[in-house]
Amino acid sequence: MINLSTAEVSDNADQNRFELRLNGDLVGILGYFDSEHPAGIPGRGRPVVDFLHTVIVEDFGHRGLAGILVGGSLDIARRRGWRVRPVCTYVQRYLTSNPGYRDVIVPIEPARRP
């Protein structure tokens, strides 16, 4: 059984990822990319960071850990004044269920045709 009270989300800036650890063991990552400031977005002076992909170690899947990782990562982003572009489909689904993070989200723009 997993003790979720030991779950800790931290930023590993050298690897461009947030990490989820349980009892000190790495069990999940959320990769990010510091992208450009898009024109016409309110809060333009704030950094925009793409949340790219969420991964939980297979042995720890289906226990709600991805939600803990994404929520903790969004909390860190908010404290830092980041705006987040949710590229990762899991992050998109998480945001649908957790609208309290709308203040940090930058919409994904549809691809432009040449």
Side-chain angles (χ1 to χ4, degrees):
M1 183 159 178
I2 298 175
N3 181 358
L4 295 180
S5 67
T6 66
E8 179 184 331
V9 177
S10 61
D11 181 14
N12 182 339
D14 291 339
Q15 297 288 321
N16 282 0
R17 68 187 192 189
F18 291 101
E19 298 178 342
L20 175 65
R21 294 184 181 274
L22 290 176
N23 297 318
D25 295 326
L26 181 64
V27 298
I29 61 170
L30 192 164
Y32 64 83
F33 177 75
D34 188 2
S35 62
E36 299 290 322
H37 298 288
I41 300 292
R44 181 181 166 166
R46 295 164 54 192
V48 176
V49 178
D50 295 347
F51 277 20
L52 300 172
H53 192 58
T54 305
V55 178
I56 298 295
V57 174
E58 189 174 347
D59 291 346
F60 292 89
H62 307 289
R63 298 179 185 178
L65 294 174
I68 292 170
L69 174 57
V70 171
S73 300
L74 288 165
D75 290 339
I76 292 169
R78 178 183 278 149
R79 284 193 303 270
R80 292 182 176 170
W82 292 0
R83 306 264 304 159
V84 173
R85 184 178 295 116
V87 176
C88 171
T89 56
Y90 182 84
V91 174
Q92 292 170 13
R93 288 191 308 271
Y94 181 87
L95 291 167
T96 300
S97 305
N98 296 275
Y101 289 105
R102 286 188 187 139
D103 62 307
V104 297
I105 300 307
V106 173
I108 298 174
E109 298 174 8
R112 296 182 183 166
R113 297 182 184 215

